[in-house]
């Protein structure tokens, strides 16, 4: 493995040993205020506890106790992959403990380790669903068993723990599991793969954390094995788990979106650590086409409920958007890895879009409910989700407290807790601010030049980003601030009273910075109309509103009536007033017919000029009771 | 049971004892030429044999042999409901034998009975998937086991056999099965229902065939039991099998489309036979809303691949249209029952639409391939379906010879073989021609007045329907010919040289007909533009072409390039030339972008006036190799 960057002790989920940019870790970046600080606070005080409480309640944590007490399989609760959600919770806890040093959370983490540790078998195997008398044998169902998937999340949690706390007994559990995987599935072992990718990025990261190459070799083996038909036939076909085409030969992401994205993340990790430019190029091209043709305005991925899958190019129905929250997490994982590998800020644009419009959309404002899917058009308001009931997977009209398959809440929690690691990167020349958040950035360039920046911003609600330098440099270095792709019209950089218009990419200032220097970026955060490529048939004749990085939505709560027949006047720009974005809406009544297809063009009669109606940021919709909602609104 | 109509010996799948109209049976209507005769010929010579050969090949028929030879469950092939497809094949054979008296087919039918008969147990139970050592116990999985569903198809096949051949050993098998069902699930028996409705219309029809009320009572019990949560929780939620709301309280069809439609058919049968106006009214209203809001232009039903289900009102995506062939069969079943119950020809309009645009679309022109789903927009051409491979369920770009779940081919076969029974109805006042087909209609009115009509038409390709009376009437009676709902512009009735303009509904002539009288209906079968209700977001800004009852499609084979960026000029009517419908198409190139959402309206640049391009009837698309296809075309 290359050893350009320290990959072991840094408090990061992804710590490549080489690449265009080096990410700054949780100790180098503290998010201190604004949108992301509030979100992290909600995560720390509500969401993590919520997930823990629910997993106690539904017995997924109790599965480990049942294993110790010999009550399996009789008392096994949840789906075959239930262990993984406990691990994702622990990963969230580990980042949160690393971020804040919360002692009470540390005690809860240790209590979980107490319950899990005795379940691990002598050879490192650890799973509450397989291998005991009365259970299916180990690795007897590679298509659906999720054993390696569970190990992947255990290992990611272990790496998080190791990097934020040091190598302790939980880290050892993860390492023993990884050793078991390498022994069982190595070149001379079982020649197969897991139906759900996840072990790949986990093993690659463990290699980075431990410095031990064999984990990387195993990750590579899993990546290379996929796409050759090792897994058995399933209802959804081989593309569901990316068994249709070898990773380096594919042209686009396809099949189950979360599987495809986790696999892409692992393939990038393997490519970066092995210097495999062909593989990196292949995944980069696949992701580019996916972003250009198979991604919703929100950054959401997965157009099909059936198989939770990508659709064809440009097949992006609003009302059937699956756009699973976990696919949002996966897209951020892939985007971040490509950013680090290539330095191209367009990847950070995707990370921003998907974090603010998919990941941030999932949890309710009180942190006690979650969207699993993230539709762009809610046709029927649905009924109130019971606060104390497990919901079916795809409930989309209202957030639910927990799901029968509940991968999303813990995925959001671990992502939010580690958000600080997305904020800034560095290279030999200086530091790049990638995600704009009120924060303190403290690092040292490779030659020892100290960098200390305080970032103050109300982003994403406001476009002003003020960066104050807090330490004298020992030599000239370059500060880069990402100018998002949407900011094509009037972004301004101010340094020492001089203004420069900057375009998407990086705004940069190079100098021997002195403490007290101020660099200001002013992004044109104002509401704008957005149209879609004409091949997106689903939104033909419709328009969306974006404001800065936020996608906006029209909700019946604000319109005062159902949004399905609303239309919007696009003659002038959306109005901004008193902190709200308003658009002129006309509502209509459609003729009621026995048959909805007729021989004249159907222009609904306008029955009401609804005047200027406020939109809400999409990530905030559905927080005020049942509603109908549209992101794409017909043009009047 | 009312006994207004003879229900027993008539060669009909649906023979109500009362209702506005009495259907004419296979002995009263012979289809002698034209579209439907050709289709019946293809069914008789290819499709039925094809289904039989495939079920031998994949072992579904062999399951019965395996049962006799004690090789179950080891040798069981296919899904839990595989028996039902053998029964549907036998129903198709029975109608075909009834229609033509084909002796070779009769021998094949008897050979199948030889293999099935010994599998029936002493108490009437008959299923190759349940109840043997090593198999699940009988009725241990009401949600997914399909045992009553299989019995339903067995009973429908038995009724078909009884009504076309007389009560023989196969009919006795069906009756013993029905008796077993009544004993097991009667008022004092198992208080549950089957996850897939089908037993309901089957038992109701057996009551009509045998005259025995208890089958009707059992059907009614099943209908009334549904919607109260007797079945266990499943992934798709209770609406999947209509367990969410009692049948008489529901407002619209929902959940799995085929299940919903079969249940509606059974509920109508029960309502008609028990004089339950409330239930009939409820199902009629549900179907009306379903047709007005949840039905594709083709008559197809089921907007979701996930759960093969109805979507919300007006949620009708073209590219994800599930529109299962079997749902088309189900819609025809419901439409025909409502026609007979109410006399309203709008129900016959639906039957026509769905038979010509869904059921007729499924089989390939050579009869050796089938669509399971019937999309309205094919974005990618797909690859050639192997002629000798079982396909996954939802392959939609090309027809496949057989499916892992292969309900559709046999459903088409039984419907086509019994098509004659859709052609004409009668009441005390006369005869109604409902489906326009070249045919010989011979019946007797209740007072003995003979009716003999020869119908000659090239419908649906031509609008002229010539009805020649072949026998003198003994008194004045009324001939009605259905004028389809689309024929709003210039339908003409000619009698004795006098022309009358007629509107949708029935064109009627009342007189004491004499042999040689001629009545001509001239329907305005010409291509027309069709637009959708503005709430159908999926086709906003798009237009379709219909010609008479046929929905037309633009296929890449005719355009010479991919149809995804085609647009059509709607300034003038579609052109008809040399038997073709042509529209003026403009093709375009879309700018290739890294991100498909932009701040300017996206009007693709026209790169080519493709001139006048022929459309194909939708039911004929996909017969010339891989292609892309659109029913709804953007307006230029």
């Amino acid at each position: 493995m290359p050893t350009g960057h320290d990959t072991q002790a840094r408090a990061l989920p992804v710590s490549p040993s080489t690449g265009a940019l080096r990410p700054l870790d949780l100790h180098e970046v503290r998010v201190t205020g604004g949108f992301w600080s509030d979100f992290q606070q909600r995560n720390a005080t509500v969401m993590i506890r919520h997930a823990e409480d629910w997993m106690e309640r539904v017995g997924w944590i109790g599965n480990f106790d049942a294993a110790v007490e010999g009550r399996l399989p009789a008392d096994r609760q949840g789906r075959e992959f239930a262990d993984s959600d406990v691990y994702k919770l622990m990963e969230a806890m580990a980042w949160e403990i690393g971020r804040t040093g919360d002692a009470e959370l540390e005690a809860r983490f240790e209590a979980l380790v107490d319950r899990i540790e005795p379940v691990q078998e002598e050879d490192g195997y650890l799973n509450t669903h397989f291998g005991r008398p009365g259970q299916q044998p180990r690795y007897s169902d590679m298509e659906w068993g999720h054993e390696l998937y569970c190990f992947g999340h255990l290992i990611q949690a272990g790496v998080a723990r190791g990097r934020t706390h040091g190598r302790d007994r939980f880290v050892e559990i993860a390492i023993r599991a990884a050793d078991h995987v390498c022994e069982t599935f190595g070149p001379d072992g079982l020649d197969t793969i897991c139906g759900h990718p996840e072990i790949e990025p986990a093993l690659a990261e463990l290699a980075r954390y431990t410095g031990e190459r064999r984990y990387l070799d195993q990750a590579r083996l899993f990546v290379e094995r996929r796409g050759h038909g090792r897994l058995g036939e399933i209802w959804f076909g081989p593309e569901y788990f990316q068994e249709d085409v070898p990773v380096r030969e594919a042209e686009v992401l396809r099949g189950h979106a979360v599987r495809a994205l986790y696999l892409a993340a692992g393939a990038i990790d393997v490519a970066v650590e092995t210097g495999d430019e062909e593989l990196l190029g292949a995944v980069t091209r696949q992701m580019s086409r996916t972003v250009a043709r198979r991604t919703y305005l929100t950054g959401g991925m997965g157009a099909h409920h059936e198989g939770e899958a990508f659709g064809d190019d440009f097949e992006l129905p609003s009302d059937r958007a699956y756009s699973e929250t976990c696919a949002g997490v996966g897209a951020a994982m892939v985007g971040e890895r490509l950013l680090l590998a290539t330095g191209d800020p367009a990847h950070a644009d995707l990370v921003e879009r998907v974090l603010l419009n998919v990941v941030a959309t999932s949890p309710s404002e009180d942190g006690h409910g979650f969207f699993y899917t993230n539709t762009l058009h809610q046709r029927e308001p649905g009924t109130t989700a019971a606060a104390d009931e497990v919901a079916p997977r795809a409930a989309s009209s209202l957030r639910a407290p927990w799901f029968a398959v509940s991968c999303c809440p813990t995925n959001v929690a671990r992502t939010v807790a580690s958000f600080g690691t997305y904020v800034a990167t560095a290279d030999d020349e200086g530091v790049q601010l990638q995600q704009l958040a009120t924060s303190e950035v403290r690092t040292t360039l490779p030659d020892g030049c100290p960098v200390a920046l305080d970032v103050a911003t109300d982003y994403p609600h406001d476009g002003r980003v003020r960066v104050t330098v807090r330490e004298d440099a020992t030599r000239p270095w370059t500060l880069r601030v990402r100018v998002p792709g949407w900011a094509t019209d009037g972004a301004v950089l101010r340094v020492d009273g001089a203004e420069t218009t900057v375009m998407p990419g990086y705004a940069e200032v190079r100098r021997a910075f002195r403490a007290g220097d101020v660099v200001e970026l002013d992004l044109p955060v104002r509401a704008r109309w957005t149209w879609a490529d004409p091949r997106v048939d689903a939104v033909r004749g419709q328009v969306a509103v974006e404001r800065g990085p936020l996608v906006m939505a029209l909700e019946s709560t604000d319109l005062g009536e159902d949004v399905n027949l609303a239309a919007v006047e696009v003659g002038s720009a959306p109005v901004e007033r008193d902190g709200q974005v308003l658009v002129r809406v006309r509502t209509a009544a459609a003729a009621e017919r026995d048959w909805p297809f007729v021989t004249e063009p159907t222009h609904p009669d306008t029955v009401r000029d609804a005047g200027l109606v406020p939109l809400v940021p999409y990530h905030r919709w559905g927080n005020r009771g049942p509603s109908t909602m549209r992101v794409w609104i017909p043009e009047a």
Side-chain angles (χ1 to χ4, degrees), chain A:
Chain A
M1 284 163 59
T3 53
H5 304 154
D6 170 19
T7 60
Q8 298 182 30
R10 309 190 61 248
L12 285 166
V14 187
S15 189
S17 66
T18 185
L21 304 177
R22 174 180 73 89
L24 301 195
D25 78 357
L26 288 186
H27 306 310
E28 294 171 299
V29 177
R30 287 185 53 230
V31 178
T32 52
F35 179 91
W36 279 102
S37 176
D38 294 346
F39 199 178
Q40 291 194 316
Q41 196 59 24
R42 180 162 35 129
N43 192 44
T45 58
V46 183
M47 286 161 51
I48 289 175
R49 181 94 223 186
H50 175 95
E52 187 181 0
D53 288 349
W54 267 95
M55 282 196 283
E56 291 288 9
R57 175 173 171 173
V58 296
W60 299 357
I61 299 174
N63 286 335
F64 294 97
D65 309 331
V68 174
E69 294 159 18
R71 293 185 282 106
L72 295 182
D75 289 354
R76 179 66 167 54
Q77 301 297 317
R79 293 285 299 268
E80 57 274 34
F81 39 75
D83 296 359
S84 71
D85 280 302
V86 181
Y87 305 145
K88 288 212 304 257
L89 170 69
M90 294 178 76
E91 186 188 338
M93 288 176 159
W95 296 126
E96 187 58 26
I97 294 165
R99 192 176 74 84
T100 61
D102 185 329
E104 189 264 339
L105 194 59
E106 170 71 20
R108 279 155 54 198
F109 185 94
E110 284 294 326
L112 287 173
V113 180
D114 288 340
R115 295 161 75 178
I116 292 167
E117 190 173 33
V119 183
Q120 190 166 38
E121 300 182 37
E122 292 227 340
D123 66 350
Y125 186 83
L126 172 51
N127 190 295
T128 66
H129 190 71
F130 286 90
R132 293 169 190 77
Q135 294 184 322
Q136 289 174 260
R138 290 179 186 184
Y139 308 122
S140 59
D141 182 5
M142 295 309 293
E143 290 76 23
W144 295 111
H146 288 79
E147 287 156 285
L148 295 179
Y149 169 84
C150 289
F151 281 135
H153 281 300
L154 171 62
I155 292 165
Q156 285 186 333
V159 169
R161 180 67 171 171
R163 285 183 172 154
T164 51
H165 173 95
R167 189 156 167 167
D168 70 355
R169 61 183 178 134
F170 184 68
V171 180
E172 296 300 338
I173 293 171
I175 289 175
R176 281 196 298 272
D179 290 341
H180 158 80
V181 171
C182 292
E183 279 156 31
T184 310
F185 292 90
D188 304 322
L190 293 174
D191 180 20
T192 188
I193 54 176
C194 183
H196 198 316
E198 161 62 19
I199 189 71
E200 296 84 353
L203 284 173
E205 207 59 41
L206 186 66
R208 289 163 169 166
Y209 168 64
T210 59
E212 294 195 35
R213 167 104 200 178
R214 65 204 165 100
Y215 302 125
L216 177 64
D217 291 339
Q218 185 64 44
R220 185 182 184 186
L221 204 52
F222 283 136
V223 169
E224 299 291 3
R225 279 178 185 164
R226 194 169 298 264
H228 298 277
R230 283 177 170 82
L231 298 178
E233 281 187 28
I234 61 164
W235 185 254
F236 298 119
E239 74 171 28
Y240 177 79
F241 34 42
Q242 294 73 51
E243 267 279 83
D244 52 337
V245 185
V247 177
R248 63 179 72 238
E249 292 173 22
E251 295 179 354
V252 68
L253 300 192
R254 69 249 169 258
H256 188 272
V258 178
R259 282 170 166 81
L261 288 158
Y262 284 9
L263 177 64
I268 295 166
D269 291 335
V270 166
V272 165
E273 297 305 328
T274 60
D276 188 336
E277 292 293 331
E278 181 195 79
L279 181 60
L280 181 62
V283 179
T284 304
R285 283 191 302 277
Q286 291 161 28
M287 191 66 177
S288 294
R289 177 167 152 193
T290 302
V291 170
R293 295 176 170 226
R294 297 187 174 193
T295 300
Y296 283 98
L297 181 61
T298 55
M301 297 186 186
H304 290 184
H305 280 240
E306 174 90 351
E308 310 182 285
F310 285 102
D312 289 339
D313 286 356
F314 301 109
E315 189 195 311
L316 296 165
S318 295
D319 49 13
R320 287 294 280 174
Y322 196 70
S323 182
E324 184 181 334
T325 299
C326 289
V329 170
M333 288 166 59
V334 173
E336 186 68 8
R337 282 162 172 78
L338 290 177
L339 172 69
L340 299 177
T342 67
D344 182 349
H347 299 301
D349 285 358
L350 176 69
V351 171
E352 171 177 288
R353 184 174 290 275
V354 77
L355 288 181
L356 289 173
N357 297 293
V358 177
V359 176
T361 305
S362 174
S364 59
E365 289 185 343
D366 69 7
H368 284 292
F370 296 85
F371 279 139
Y372 192 115
T373 67
N374 295 279
T375 187
L376 276 74
H377 180 187
Q378 187 66 40
R379 289 180 174 272
E380 299 197 355
T383 49
T384 309
D388 61 347
E389 272 184 24
V390 173
R393 173 185 54 170
S396 64
S397 67
L398 290 156
R399 294 169 177 87
W402 203 249
F403 303 93
V405 173
S406 214
C407 40
C408 298
T410 52
N411 230 347
V412 173
R414 68 176 183 145
T415 304
V416 174
S418 62
F419 169 76
T421 69
Y422 289 92
V423 168
T425 55
D427 59 13
D428 293 351
E429 294 308 305
V431 165
Q432 304 81 37
L433 298 178
Q434 302 288 359
Q435 300 302 328
L436 307 175
T438 298
S439 51
E440 298 173 2
V441 176
R442 303 286 183 271
T443 191
T444 308
L445 298 182
D447 62 357
C449 175
V451 173
L453 307 171
D454 286 357
V455 183
T457 183
D458 236 349
Y459 196 80
H461 301 301
D462 185 87
R464 278 164 297 184
V465 182
R466 181 183 172 91
V467 183
T468 306
V469 177
R470 294 297 184 197
E471 213 165 332
D472 294 346
T474 55
R475 52 104 164 169
W477 61 271
T478 306
L479 170 66
R480 288 194 173 89
V481 187
R482 183 177 59 90
V483 179
W486 54 263
T488 52
D489 186 19
V492 170
L493 183 71
R494 284 192 203 90
V495 190
D496 298 336
E499 290 198 357
T500 325
T501 299
V502 289
M503 291 303 289
Y506 292 118
E508 68 177 62
V509 182
R510 182 171 179 84
R511 61 165 58 178
F513 284 99
R514 314 302 301 173
D517 282 358
V518 172
V519 173
E520 278 190 327
L521 178 67
D522 201 346
L523 296 170
V525 168
R526 52 180 176 261
R528 64 188 187 276
W529 302 115
T530 298
W531 286 266
D533 186 290
R535 287 166 290 187
V536 186
D537 286 275
V539 299
R540 187 183 307 282
Q542 301 179 52
V543 65
V545 176
E546 293 181 276
R547 184 174 185 276
L550 296 180
V551 174
M552 307 296 290
L554 175 63
E555 203 173 354
S556 58
T557 322
D558 296 302
L559 180 60
E561 63 186 279
D562 175 44
V563 302
N564 284 308
L565 272 166
V568 69
E569 298 273 357
V570 295
S572 54
V575 173
E576 303 225 19
R577 197 165 66 197
D578 303 333
Q580 284 190 315
V581 175
L582 304 105
V583 294
R584 184 163 294 277
V585 175
R586 304 205 179 274
T587 60
E592 292 307 325
R593 304 180 184 90
D594 294 341
W595 178 244
F597 305 108
V598 294
T599 54
E600 298 292 329
T602 53
H603 300 301
D605 294 327
T606 297
V607 293
R608 191 166 77 91
D609 176 355
L612 287 170
V613 178
L615 305 180
V616 291
Y618 174 71
H619 71 252
R620 292 184 55 196
W621 91 274
N623 273 294
R624 297 170 292 173
S627 65
T628 57
M629 180 277 298
R630 316 184 66 118
V631 166
W632 292 96
I633 311 169
E635 293 184 45

